[in-house]
Amino acid sequence: MRTTRMSRVTAAAALAALLAVSVTACGQEARGGSRYKPAGGKGGVIGLAMPTKASERWIADGENMAEQFEKAGYETDLQYGDDKVENQIAQIENMITKGRRLLVVAAIDGSALTEVLRRAEDAGIPVISYDRLIMGSEHVDYYASFDNERVGELEARYIVDKLKLGKPAKGASASYNIELFAGSPDDNNTTYFWNGAMKVLKPYLDSGQLVVRSKQTRMNQATTLRWDGGTAQKRMDDLISKNYGEERVDAVLSPYDGISIGIISALKSAGYGSKARPLPIVTGQDAELASVKSIIRGEQTQTVFKDTRKLAAQAVKMGDAVLNGRKPEVNNTTDYHNGKKAVPAFLLDPVSIDKANTELLVREGYFTAGQLR
Ligand code: GAL
């Protein structure tokens, strides 16, 4: 599917853009030190390659970026890859052929873009990696994301606090059953979420206060290809039927709302959700509307809010700077190594949400009060 948005640039703005081009074209190397020789100034089309429309967050990410790039004086070419790697590669190739000035990419498979990004490099088109780090390519200029390890920490910390586990202690009387889910194995974020969560959970797993009855404690046993809720539901069905007879599941670490919804469906089919057998703690991520409503209903327990408007704004600021020979603002230059280089990153702060603070989403204007009713 292809959506090209053309901004309504007034004649005056077009003239201003033209002037800006001629002013910035000379001297941008000196000011920004960029390895590109961008035409400078505003105008031109930005290619936005997003992974899927199956999740509302990526729809919002794409639309927010398109809107904000247009406000900043650019046009946009917004494409969704339908979670198919070959679609995304073809879309990016097309953007390169069409001479897009900048590519902003949220990869479906973080390691599948090396070839196509080489073509972008040959064409002198800068690349910003959006939310998910693109792996194995020198040609990733900047990365805009959230503190991904912190996301995992927030989920795990929530479980530990809710179960009132206190400090990890060998021989503590109470022990609880937990099952662990991870994201898509081809998404670099998956490891960060997992490591962040494990940093918090491991001492409790070691002390025996948390028990994984399935014994599936390694990330590669817990991943969920393409973050698919149906896949997570099947795995949870299986975990329950093989490991939980009389025993109860007390908590499930879930790294994404779509996965949480699948897990909750499996739990309900197995009889959870009654007074006698309440649903376990189920974490999540993205504050998607269905999950926030589920939290308000008392089903999903927690999610992590990552304001897509702020992430879009960051990517737009970065893009505008790169195109005009300025150095974008970054706050992390070491932690996001893609196998070829440490990609300079700007990381935003994620926020934990549960029933007690869903109104924050209304206060921030992320949802209306009506949407949450
Ligand atoms: C991750 C992203 C998460 C979630 C997930 C599934 O890369 O960081 O916020 O959206 O993909 O879409």
Side-chain angles (χ1 to χ4, degrees), residues 131 143 145-152 189 192-193 306 336:
D131 192 86
Y143 179 42
S145 190
F146 284 81
D147 182 338
N148 292 303
E149 195 167 309
R150 177 94 186 116
V151 170
N189 286 354
Y192 284 81
F193 299 149
K306 306 198 303 189
Y336 286 88

Side-chain angles (χ1 to χ4, degrees), residues 61-139:
D61 283 285
E63 287 178 353
N64 287 334
M65 266 195 289
E67 198 178 301
Q68 294 179 29
F69 266 119
E70 286 167 20
K71 266 202 194 118
Y74 302 91
E75 293 169 2
T76 56
D77 175 5
L78 170 61
Q79 309 279 345
Y80 286 86
D82 201 18
D83 256 343
K84 296 196 178 72
V85 181
E86 63 280 12
N87 283 3
Q88 187 165 60
I89 292 174
Q91 288 169 345
I92 296 173
E93 265 168 5
N94 201 255
M95 288 172 182
I96 297 168
T97 310
K98 290 201 164 123
R100 303 315 187 206
R101 286 187 71 193
L102 166 82
L103 303 177
V104 183
V105 181
I108 294 168
D109 177 338
S111 304
L113 302 179
T114 313
E115 271 311 307
V116 72
L117 292 196
R118 198 165 290 143
R119 291 195 43 202
E121 176 159 38
D122 291 346
I125 304 169
V127 175
I128 293 176
S129 196
Y130 186 85
D131 192 86
R132 302 171 170 176
L133 185 61
I134 299 172
M135 305 301 288
S137 171
E138 301 258 0
H139 190 54

Side-chain angles (χ1 to χ4, degrees), residues 350-364:
V351 179
S352 181
I353 297 284
D354 74 354
K355 210 172 184 166
N357 67 344
T358 51
E359 89 289 346
L360 181 142
L361 301 168
V362 176
R363 222 171 38 242
E364 296 275 314

Side-chain angles (χ1 to χ4, degrees), residues 163-182:
L163 292 175
K164 300 195 172 57
L165 293 181
K167 286 219 169 76
K170 270 231 155 63
S173 53
S175 81
Y176 294 96
N177 296 323
I178 185 170
E179 291 297 336
L180 310 170
F181 281 72

Side-chain angles (χ1 to χ4, degrees), residues 9 17 21 40-46 69 72-75 101 320 323:
V9 184
V21 171
K42 310 290 183 185
V45 185
I46 311 294
F69 266 119
Y74 302 91
E75 293 169 2
R101 286 187 71 193
D320 189 48
L323 289 176

